[in-house]
Amino acid sequence: MSAALPVAEAAWAREGEVWKSQAAYTADLVVTPNGSGRAWALDNLDLTGDLDLDALAGLRDAVFHAGLLINTGGQPDAALGTVEGLDNIEVTRPRTRLFEAWLQQDFGAGRGSVRAGLYDLNSEFYATAASDQLIHPAFGIGTELSATGSAGPSIFPSTALAVRLRWEDERKRYVQAAIIDAKAGTLGDPGGVDLGFAQGALGVVQVGGGDRSRWAVGAWRYGFERDDTGTPRARGIYGLFERDLTSDHGRGITLFVRGGASAGRAPIAVSLQAGATKGGVWASRPDSRLSVGFHYAKARGDGSEVGFEAAYADKIAPRTTLQPGLQLVAAPGGRSIAIASLRLIVEAW
């Protein structure tokens, strides 16, 4: 099962005229008391950098972005066997990967941009900031889309070649579209980057807008298949909504609801996620944050899955965050899974 958003972004960047970089290390301890009880340790090192091509070579409004992932550790979902996964930094192949490498050119006084290269679909599509603290993969990207493709779509931990176009108006309404190789694979994966689009392409379009209330709707479809190894003719739609209940983004409550449906050969027919996050839980702890979420997925055949997650995070040092969490999952076959987790995030620089 593909994961979604891997880690919170590092808050510190090494600034310069030409280059800036970020690094964040995330480690999870996952324990289940079911049966005799089991424990897994897994981690993710995220290294990113941005090169200002204007300052370097005079290419106005152009930037090159690259990101490297290093993942090791256990596989709780591989052992427990859920529909949607359990931890958004779990990988099936622990290794080092070139996660992103794209060039972006802005135009129209910064309202428009085009990106091309190895691209994380979930960085801009089917994403809600209010759910990004939760570690369950479904809160990053809906399962009806993340379960497609022979190796998942172009999301964590393996991306694919893509071209993305975006335009935003003065009222923060936007439209964005991407054409992505249907076979995810990057440097560090077996076979490397697919240059031939052998399994066709995935097309995604999303429109949205808003400030205090943010909304988006999107549609996706696989096409131009040359073989039958992915999810040919799979297609779907989704919608997102977030609402800040107060004007204080850092300390207020934000609600979110997301959902999508698929057709064709996509293995998951429907998924739904909803929940809330609260910043500044304690007046004396401005960096504290509490998030809760509900998720549901219905497989195209028999079986559905329902789950709940609660997570509390706080900084214990200027660059170090500790986040305990709890998940309860009702998996197919009448199985009940309880998961306790402890996430450590270190912003290395």
Side-chain angles (χ1 to χ4, degrees):
M1 180 64 63
S2 297
L5 295 175
V7 294
E9 292 185 359
W12 186 91
R14 187 176 296 165
E15 300 290 347
E17 290 186 357
V18 176
W19 173 260
K20 65 178 181 180
S21 62
Q22 297 177 326
Y25 175 75
T26 302
D28 287 349
L29 176 63
V30 178
V31 179
T32 174
N34 294 59
S36 60
R38 296 189 62 180
W40 298 264
L42 51 163
D43 67 356
N44 178 93
L45 178 60
D46 189 4
L47 306 171
T48 62
D50 292 278
L51 185 64
D52 185 344
L53 298 180
D54 189 352
L56 178 68
L59 299 176
R60 186 175 179 182
D61 299 325
V63 64
F64 176 74
H65 171 86
L68 189 70
L69 291 182
I70 303 174
N71 297 95
T72 62
Q75 299 174 345
D77 184 60
L80 298 175
T82 68
V83 171
E84 298 186 280
L86 292 167
D87 191 305
N88 60 14
I89 63 170
E90 179 177 346
V91 295
T92 57
R93 295 187 182 97
R95 62 182 65 234
T96 299
R97 293 175 174 87
L98 177 63
F99 183 55
E100 287 194 290
W102 47 255
L103 176 69
Q104 175 169 311
Q105 176 66 60
D106 293 346
F107 58 89
R111 291 184 180 176
S113 66
V114 59
R115 288 183 183 178
L118 293 171
Y119 171 70
D120 175 17
L121 171 68
N122 195 215
S123 64
E124 297 182 303
F125 290 81
Y126 212 153
T128 45
S131 64
D132 64 6
Q133 179 186 2
L134 299 167
I135 75 170
H136 190 280
F139 294 115
I141 188 168
T143 314
E144 83 286 353
L145 177 52
S146 71
T148 62
S150 59
S154 182
I155 58 175
F156 174 90
S158 297
T159 52
L161 292 175
V163 176
R164 187 277 284 153
L165 182 66
R166 177 183 170 95
W167 178 266
E168 182 176 318
D169 68 14
E170 67 281 358
R171 296 176 61 183
K172 296 187 178 182
R173 296 173 301 190
Y174 68 88
V175 57
Q176 58 190 24
I179 299 293
I180 308 166
D181 191 337
K183 183 181 179 182
T186 186
L187 297 179
D189 288 323
V193 179
D194 175 33
L195 300 176
F197 284 69
Q199 294 176 12
L202 168 64
V204 189
V205 62
Q206 179 174 307
V207 297
D211 185 10
R212 185 169 170 180
S213 293
R214 298 170 296 282
W215 62 273
V217 293
W220 54 272
R221 184 184 180 93
Y222 284 85
F224 312 110
E225 298 90 348
R226 298 184 192 176
D227 58 37
D228 205 36
T229 58
T231 46
R233 295 178 292 282
R235 58 199 181 274
I237 57 174
Y238 61 86
L240 315 169
F241 181 77
E242 296 177 280
R243 170 67 176 175
D244 298 331
L245 299 186
T246 68
S247 58
D248 187 342
H249 293 279
R251 301 180 65 85
I253 297 174
T254 300
L255 307 179
F256 70 88
V257 61
R258 307 139 39 94
S262 71
R265 297 191 184 181
I268 304 299
V270 176
S271 80
L272 174 68
Q273 308 87 40
T277 186
K278 170 71 168 72
V281 179
W282 315 108
S284 60
R285 308 291 303 175
D287 294 316
S288 60
R289 184 181 176 193
L290 176 66
S291 295
V292 295
F294 159 88
H295 59 91
Y296 166 81
K298 173 68 171 66
R300 193 157 302 282
D302 294 331
S304 61
E305 186 167 281
V306 178
F308 169 82
E309 180 180 350
Y312 172 82
D314 204 348
K315 284 193 173 183
I316 59 174
R319 298 179 187 173
T320 304
T321 298
L322 204 59
Q323 177 178 308
L326 175 67
Q327 292 188 52
L328 302 173
V329 177
R335 296 181 300 125
S336 296
I337 301 172
I339 292 289
S341 61
L342 182 63
R343 169 163 287 188
L344 173 70
I345 302 173
V346 179
E347 298 159 8
W349 66 71

